[in-house]
Amino acid sequence: MKLPFAESYKTKMVESIRRSTRKEREKWMGEARYNLFNLKSDQVFIDLLTDSGTGAMSDRQWSEMMLGDESYAGASSYSKMKNAIEEITGFPYFLPTHQGRAAENVLFSTLIKEGDLIPGNSHFDTTKGHIEFRKATAIDCTIDAAFDTTLDHPFKGDINLDKLEDVLKNNPKEKIPLIIVTVTCNSSGGQPVSIKNMKAVSQLAKKYGIPVFFDSARFAENAYFIKLREEGYGKKSIREIVLEMFSFADGMTMSSKKDAIVNMGGFIGFKDKSLFEKASMFNILFEGYISYGGMSGRDMNALAQGLWEGTDFDYLETRIGQVAYLGQKLKDYGIPLQYPFGGHAIFVDAKRFLPQLPKEQLVAQTLAVELYLEGGVRAVEIGTLLADRDPETGKNRYPELEFTRLAIPRRVYSNNHMDFIAAALFNVFERRDQITKGLKIVKEAPILRHFTVSLERVQD
Ligand code: F0G
């Protein structure tokens, strides 16, 4: 018999989670104003809000915490982080930051000014937020295939090179401070970018003299997909692929809360010393001295160790295998999803799940609320709420894709939990015709509104 798949780790410490009743959940959801960010964690049975900072650290990472060097400058923890970053990504210069959006803040303060254009593949919400906060514009150049959830394209994170070249050709160079390639592309469904595409983007960028930065939160998951799907990469190791990926970038921003499997942390990697020096000033201003940038020594140690573990093939196979396990169950139930399955999450196509709801009624959020009421499973909306209003017109932006994302924390839940999630969503799917009313906004912030928004049910 072929030996079945099994996790490449075992459990050493456990944390209790609490099941609740539907009646309790209805009360809590109302108190939370239908915003899942407002729920208390003990009101949630299985938490799929995010895979960011929610992973389980290993025994080795915890050991590294004890070895943290908390010296203000010249700490050995800084050197450990520097060595891991340099060996794994190839970037000779780096700045630590407290998380990914802090890396964006520092880098964009250095590069972006009002009126600039920043092309990329479906920029993540904080990335777009930081761009628009500076009165610049994010231009989405993702390939069209990404917007058809039924298409099984291997690299739905790829950039459409014609769209990109149009932007580069038709605008002055001074207005395009950088191109951002998000690997994997979160907003399009945790979809990878191929090496071929990275190389082509890099060549185009060189032709027009514009730097390329990778938004690298899930770079290792991207490398895993390259190994599995891209011709010529099957025999290469994850670390070889990672080095090749980053050879096509001038720098990277990193939310280490994902593929470095830590609860907090980030960094910026640079090839160019002078850009690193310019950014250092903003790092000191916003984050802290350049040898710790918002992180304690123990956290830098855990991050360095996490980078090694996060780029291990067996770990990635377990992690992405679990996401695919959930995806396959949902697929078997006939639930509409983004295909192929993402690396960190399953993205449910809410428009096709609830086609009877008009887009104004926040379809993906309505589905997330229903899933919570059904089983205490907390998902997150990647749709109209997240898309914010157009900063110029003040009108709601309705994205092509309206997702309810089931993000799977790393090394946290078992496949029994996956079965539970699938069953809960199946039950909602069975009664989908009875969901005839969605939600409306009562109160919202001008930027990144989804975190704090208050909603209510649409009445007759
Ligand atoms: N870039 C990408 C692609 C991300 O997915 C995130 C965060 C960030 C940047 C910002 O990093 O949270 O450390 O400041 N994504 C989380 C998510 C929040 O749920 O997808 P951060």
Side-chain angles (χ1 to χ4, degrees), residues 96-334:
T97 63
H98 78 275
Q99 62 183 91
R101 69 200 69 183
E104 290 164 357
N105 188 29
V106 170
L107 181 70
F108 296 175
S109 297
T110 318
L111 291 176
I112 299 179
K113 56 182 188 322
E114 188 171 337
D116 282 351
L117 306 171
I118 295 91
N121 53 344
S122 303
H123 309 65
F124 182 63
D125 61 341
T126 59
T127 319
K128 202 169 184 174
H130 273 294
I131 291 170
E132 292 179 350
F133 180 70
R134 291 172 170 78
K135 298 197 164 32
T137 307
I139 302 183
D140 188 3
C141 301
T142 316
I143 55 166
D144 293 341
F147 301 100
D148 180 349
T149 57
T150 60
L151 266 183
D152 213 348
H153 185 294
F155 292 105
K156 277 187 172 175
D158 276 0
I159 288 204
N160 179 324
L161 300 168
D162 294 333
K163 279 192 208 169
L164 177 63
E165 186 149 26
D166 269 355
V167 181
L168 304 185
K169 197 163 54 190
N170 299 322
N171 293 283
K173 185 180 161 210
E174 306 68 56
K175 279 192 92 171
I176 310 172
L178 77 164
I179 298 166
I180 299 174
V181 185
T182 305
V183 296
T184 59
C185 184
N186 188 359
S187 309
S188 73
Q191 300 293 323
V193 179
S194 62
I195 287 263
K196 192 171 162 223
N197 194 251
M198 293 176 191
K199 192 173 179 180
V201 168
S202 155
Q203 282 167 348
L204 256 186
K206 280 211 174 77
K207 180 171 154 196
Y208 289 90
I210 293 164
V212 179
F213 271 74
F214 287 180
D215 176 352
S216 312
R218 301 178 183 87
F219 73 93
E221 292 175 3
N222 199 100
Y224 177 84
F225 285 123
I226 289 172
K227 184 175 169 68
L228 258 64
R229 296 179 188 170
E230 193 159 352
E231 217 187 307
Y233 288 88
K235 291 214 167 66
K236 296 209 171 171
S237 72
I238 295 293
R239 297 212 182 101
E240 281 170 329
I241 297 171
V242 166
L243 273 176
E244 187 172 339
M245 281 167 52
F246 286 122
S247 74
F248 299 116
D250 298 281
M252 67 185 283
T253 53
M254 177 71 185
S255 167
S256 306
K257 301 166 73 172
K258 285 86 166 171
D259 277 359
I261 329 175
V262 286
N263 304 115
M264 194 52 74
F267 60 89
I268 318 171
F270 304 87
K271 266 188 197 152
D272 178 34
K273 189 172 180 199
S274 68
L275 187 57
F276 157 75
E277 284 171 351
K278 269 190 219 150
S280 297
M281 184 188 83
F282 292 103
N283 215 67
I284 296 171
L285 207 54
F286 299 146
E287 292 295 292
Y289 184 58
I290 58 168
S291 67
Y292 71 88
M295 296 185 71
S296 42
R298 53 182 172 272
D299 285 339
M300 291 196 277
N301 272 15
L303 196 163
Q305 173 64 22
L307 280 174
W308 293 112
E309 293 177 18
T311 48
D312 174 71
F313 178 80
D314 287 347
Y315 153 74
L316 285 165
E317 188 181 38
T318 301
R319 192 272 181 295
I320 295 177
Q322 184 174 53
V323 175
Y325 174 85
L326 172 64
Q328 192 56 48
K329 289 227 138 191
L330 299 176
K331 185 178 180 184
D332 292 345
Y333 295 152

Side-chain angles (χ1 to χ4, degrees), residues 426-441:
F426 174 79
N427 289 347
V428 179
F429 194 55
E430 286 281 280
R431 61 175 171 78
R432 63 191 181 282
D433 293 345
Q434 295 153 30
I435 304 168
T436 53
K437 291 273 180 294
L439 297 162
K440 66 176 182 199
I441 297 174

Side-chain angles (χ1 to χ4, degrees), residues 284-455:
I284 296 171
L285 207 54
F286 299 146
E287 292 295 292
Y289 184 58
I290 58 168
S291 67
Y292 71 88
M295 296 185 71
S296 42
R298 53 182 172 272
D299 285 339
M300 291 196 277
N301 272 15
L303 196 163
Q305 173 64 22
L307 280 174
W308 293 112
E309 293 177 18
T311 48
D312 174 71
F313 178 80
D314 287 347
Y315 153 74
L316 285 165
E317 188 181 38
T318 301
R319 192 272 181 295
I320 295 177
Q322 184 174 53
V323 175
Y325 174 85
L326 172 64
Q328 192 56 48
K329 289 227 138 191
L330 299 176
K331 185 178 180 184
D332 292 345
Y333 295 152
I335 294 171
L337 310 172
Q338 169 72 301
Y339 290 108
F341 308 136
H344 68 297
I346 295 298
F347 287 66
V348 182
D349 184 338
K351 273 194 206 169
R352 287 200 291 130
F353 195 114
L354 296 172
Q356 67 273 30
L357 290 190
K359 63 181 190 305
E360 292 76 15
Q361 293 189 15
L362 308 170
V363 186
Q365 181 70 10
T366 303
L367 179 54
V369 166
E370 288 300 329
L371 178 61
Y372 173 72
L373 294 178
E374 182 65 36
V377 177
R378 173 158 70 170
V380 79
E381 191 248 29
I382 307 273
T384 302
L385 271 182
L386 189 86
D388 271 333
R389 288 175 190 271
D390 186 305
E392 303 238 306
T393 64
K395 292 219 164 79
N396 273 318
R397 291 188 277 212
Y398 293 103
E400 265 179 77
L401 295 173
E402 186 76 29
F403 288 130
T404 302
R405 185 186 74 173
L406 312 172
I408 312 298
R410 292 163 182 79
R411 305 191 288 210
V412 170
Y413 292 115
S414 71
N415 283 2
N416 286 335
H417 293 112
M418 299 302 119
D419 293 344
F420 184 99
I421 298 157
L425 197 59
F426 174 79
N427 289 347
V428 179
F429 194 55
E430 286 281 280
R431 61 175 171 78
R432 63 191 181 282
D433 293 345
Q434 295 153 30
I435 304 168
T436 53
K437 291 273 180 294
L439 297 162
K440 66 176 182 199
I441 297 174
V442 182
K443 193 167 161 235
E444 66 187 294
I447 216 161
L448 296 175
R449 64 183 176 182
H450 56 287
F451 289 114
T452 53
V453 72
S454 293
L455 306 166

